[in-house]
Amino acid sequence: MAETSLTELLERNARHVESLDSDHFAGVEDTQAPVAVSICCSDSRVPHDGMWDVTHPGWLFTPSTIGNQVWDIHDGERVVDGSLLYPMINTRTNVTLVVGHTGCGAVSAALDAVQNGPGMVPAGIEKWVDLIVPVVEAGLNDERIDADRDVSLVDQLVEYNVDRQIEFLLESDDVPETETVYGFVYDFQGVYSDERGRAYLVNADGETDVAALRELAPTKYHDAVDRLLQ
């Protein structure tokens, strides 16, 4: 089992400080204007900055939620999560990325809850699993999802979940009309191909046809546009 210590944490931060140029934070110390907000799953294997090769602060706004869910509950209703809505409105990102990932534990937990009943988990986790259960239930009734495929049921549902999260954003009156929403699945397990670490474009403003999606991307990146559910 991996372990760490206070000494290691301080050493890692010291190396971080030493690696920075003197002007590393110039231009962002008092304000921020990120070009995009990327909401990923809360998972140590899914690095926001790493997957988009971000080397300087202020380029990407990076909230995470369990199951890369874009919503929260307020007064009994689903609303756009504030950590995602804030950069849209206050920093005018214009581009939102909804990033799921292969082997998602949140989708796995929701699937287990649907198939075997709710487990015993702390309330703070249970809330987020409960919010994604209806997505999994709907996915299991989608004719494109098949438990007998070579691709795992969880990975099929991960992609389905990205679609549903984007659908919610597109239907929300709180999301600015100028916002472009892309859906990706970060593959570190070789599900979409043997090229691990690739973020596959699976959705663009609700468009899920692979041919149409590839028209949006340069030809050299067509291999990075793919879907399990077609």
Side-chain angles (χ1 to χ4, degrees):
M1 182 176 180
E3 296 181 358
T4 191
S5 65
L6 177 58
T7 298
E8 181 184 9
L9 295 172
L10 293 172
E11 288 175 344
R12 285 177 175 271
N13 179 249
R15 292 197 296 271
H16 167 67
V17 173
E18 292 169 0
S19 72
L20 302 180
D21 295 331
S22 60
D23 62 349
H24 185 74
F25 293 102
V28 297
E29 290 187 2
D30 300 316
T31 187
Q32 62 174 323
V35 300
V37 52
S38 173
I39 186 160
C40 294
C41 183
S42 300
D43 193 297
S44 64
R45 303 164 297 178
V46 185
H48 283 279
D49 289 347
M51 75 172 72
W52 305 119
D53 191 31
V54 178
T55 58
H56 288 82
W59 191 87
L60 186 69
F61 203 100
T62 56
S64 295
T65 59
I66 293 175
N68 49 272
Q69 297 182 69
V70 303
W71 48 49
D72 199 350
I73 295 296
H74 179 70
D75 287 342
E77 295 185 4
R78 292 198 185 208
V79 297
V80 179
D81 186 276
S83 59
L84 179 60
L85 193 59
Y86 174 85
M88 290 183 190
I89 294 175
N90 288 49
T91 71
R92 300 180 180 178
T93 53
N94 291 327
V95 174
T96 293
L97 315 175
V98 179
V99 185
H101 69 90
T102 55
C104 179
V107 172
S108 297
L111 177 60
D112 185 64
V114 171
Q115 294 178 331
N116 304 307
M120 297 295 292
V121 296
I125 298 175
E126 182 181 30
K127 166 193 169 180
W128 291 101
V129 174
D130 287 348
L131 282 173
I132 206 171
V133 160
V135 174
V136 169
E137 291 175 331
L140 293 175
N141 289 318
D142 190 299
E143 62 182 12
R144 297 171 299 171
I145 292 180
D146 185 353
D148 294 328
R149 290 179 62 182
D150 291 339
V151 179
S152 76
L153 191 55
V154 167
D155 288 322
Q156 295 175 65
L157 289 167
V158 163
E159 192 172 283
Y160 184 85
N161 178 47
V162 170
D163 290 343
R164 299 289 74 76
Q165 302 300 322
I166 290 177
E167 180 180 57
F168 181 80
L169 290 178
L170 296 177
E171 292 176 351
S172 172
D173 293 334
D174 292 328
V175 175
E177 293 183 0
T178 55
E179 198 78 11
T180 297
V181 185
Y182 295 117
F184 291 88
V185 175
Y186 183 71
D187 182 9
F188 62 88
Q189 297 175 321
V191 173
Y192 287 74
S193 77
D194 292 333
E195 194 173 31
R196 286 165 170 77
R198 177 72 68 186
Y200 287 88
L201 178 67
V202 299
N203 192 310
D205 280 333
E207 177 61 70
T208 58
D209 178 74
V210 172
L213 291 173
R214 285 179 176 163
E215 290 183 2
L216 301 176
T219 302
K220 67 177 181 178
Y221 294 123
H222 280 188
D223 287 347
V225 181
D226 203 0
R227 284 182 59 89
L228 304 176
L229 308 180
Q230 298 186 39

